[in-house]
Amino acid sequence: MRTGKDAHARDAPRGRGAVVAALMLSMALTAVDSTIVSTAVPQIVGSLGGFPIFSWLFSGYLLAATVTLPVYGKLSDTFGRRPVLIAGSVLFLAGSALCAFAWSMESLIAFRVVQGLGGGAIQGTVQTLAADLYPLKERPRIQARLSTVWAVSAVAGPALGGLIASCAHWRWIFLVNLPIGAVALWLIVRHLREPVRETAVRGRVDWPGALAVFACGGVLLTALVQGGVAWGWLSAPSLALFASGLALVAAVVLIERRAAEPVIPGWVWRRRTIAAVNLALGALGLLMVAPTVFLPAYAQSVLGLAPVAAGFVLSVMTLSWPVSAAFSQHLYRRIGFRNTAATGILAAALILFAFPLLPYPGAAWQPALIMLLLGAALGIFQLPLIVGVQSTVGWAERGTATASILFCRQIGQTLGAALFGAVANGVLSARLGGSGSLDPVARALDDPGAVADPERLRRAVDTAVDAVYAGAGCAAVLALLILLLMAPRRFPVLLEPQEADQDGHGEPDPRQEQLSPARPETDGAP
């Protein structure tokens, strides 16, 4: 067996700098996608019509990207990251080109689903390759770079989309993906060479399981995305979708238990570390709905800010997030992955609970400060968990493990949108007359000056957003309890060969090197 730096040098992928550039470009395409499209919705609806169904421009993409994450994770563990990333990039670019030539809202939604099928492959595989390319000591560097890409994309996406929508045709929003994606694809094809791995004979791909996972996720996410929006929660469509989803869940469990190589293997939930991180990041997705969905409405309706200024209040969170994520490595090397993440989510809970204490109506710098601190806390929370999970598995399981935590985070975000949307709607309905119909409220939020009592509306929105932030604080407390009660105090890290004879780069557990990816995970705490 080869050990030490010479083995690492021979096994390391060639042209790592070019590959990292390709990963960052690919991540930027998926990160900016939703924000850049949202600013052009008026132009798209004006050109194609279809206003009643335009929300599926986002829901369709989200559904396709989310439900395919476990499938792509398993495929990357079976066939390697390179073919999966190339296939996903081609799908995303093909979907972008088709979107640019859509002739109706229905066709545009269908092509957005194609984009989502590619986006799911890019999201999971880029995160997995980041762990493949860098040993544990250096992983925070690449993860911080990817966090920076997300931060910059969140800020630049709306501005770029607005610029294109005002200066050119909306179709260019999709066409600009083509040259950027082509460069990223060329770099991947030319420079990404995965080392030869000594693995067992590949089993057959569990295509029935993949189809069942896709169908189950699609049905349940459709029920969550459309429930309370297109139809009531207790209406026939909602009940039918949830019943079908539960039946498909049973089918997935049955198929996966019989499969030789299941798409969602049981060890993902049997290992304490991965199961705890999956649930904790699901809670992260839940709480992220408060700032990303409801803060802009608060900034415009309560503080009276213009849309650009309201966007800035939210975007400051993306400035502190990557900075604190990069700093977190110095913390988790001293106190461990779990304790670092617990520190971050505890701070996030206190910050979220502080939001309802802001004065009414207050000044713009107050929620901006809250968001700045929240971004710093969540950067310390999320990155150690991702790096920690990726460091507890070997190459043959890393794609599946990474996909599972991304999948749970996005499921949490979908659940949060449904749950907190119901909370906000209930508060608004109660404060504005209790009629049960929020159509007048939506029109009032769009034009507060048109209502007879704008002050009443402002206070109703303030109360609703306060309730959502309090709920997000409860989600943060839930994540903290999951970490403290489920996660081992020390993650059982698998040291890379070149790290085995070095001290201080992982969590200091003398049994870490004895763990095998094929064995059940054990608690590394002394």
Side-chain angles (χ1 to χ4, degrees), residues 378-515:
L378 294 179
I380 294 174
F381 167 68
Q382 178 180 257
L383 187 134
L385 295 182
I386 293 177
V387 173
V389 164
Q390 291 178 332
S391 302
T392 65
V393 294
W395 184 93
E397 296 177 338
R398 192 172 290 147
T400 299
T402 302
S404 72
I405 59 180
L406 297 178
F407 177 77
C408 289
R409 188 180 65 186
Q410 293 195 190
I411 290 293
Q413 193 164 353
T414 305
L415 285 170
L419 175 62
F420 293 139
V423 170
N425 289 350
V427 173
L428 285 172
S429 179
R431 294 296 298 267
L432 296 174
S435 64
S437 174
L438 292 177
D439 290 338
V441 176
R443 290 193 293 269
L445 291 174
D446 184 60
D447 185 13
V451 298
D453 191 355
E455 180 62 19
R456 185 185 180 195
L457 173 66
R458 293 175 67 192
R459 288 192 175 274
V461 173
D462 178 70
T463 303
V465 176
D466 285 348
V468 168
Y469 267 82
C474 293
V477 171
L478 175 62
L480 176 63
L481 293 176
I482 289 170
L483 290 178
L484 296 179
L485 298 177
M486 290 187 60
R489 192 169 72 86
R490 297 185 187 276
F491 283 20
V493 172
L494 293 173
L495 297 181
E496 302 289 343
Q498 71 277 11
E499 298 175 304
D501 57 351
Q502 301 177 25
D503 295 328
H505 295 334
E507 297 203 335
D509 180 4
R511 291 185 292 164
Q512 287 169 347
E513 296 178 49
Q514 302 173 12
L515 295 175

Side-chain angles (χ1 to χ4, degrees), residues 41-55:
V41 165
Q43 288 79 11
I44 294 174
V45 171
S47 174
L48 300 178
F51 179 79
I53 59 172
F54 86 89
S55 63

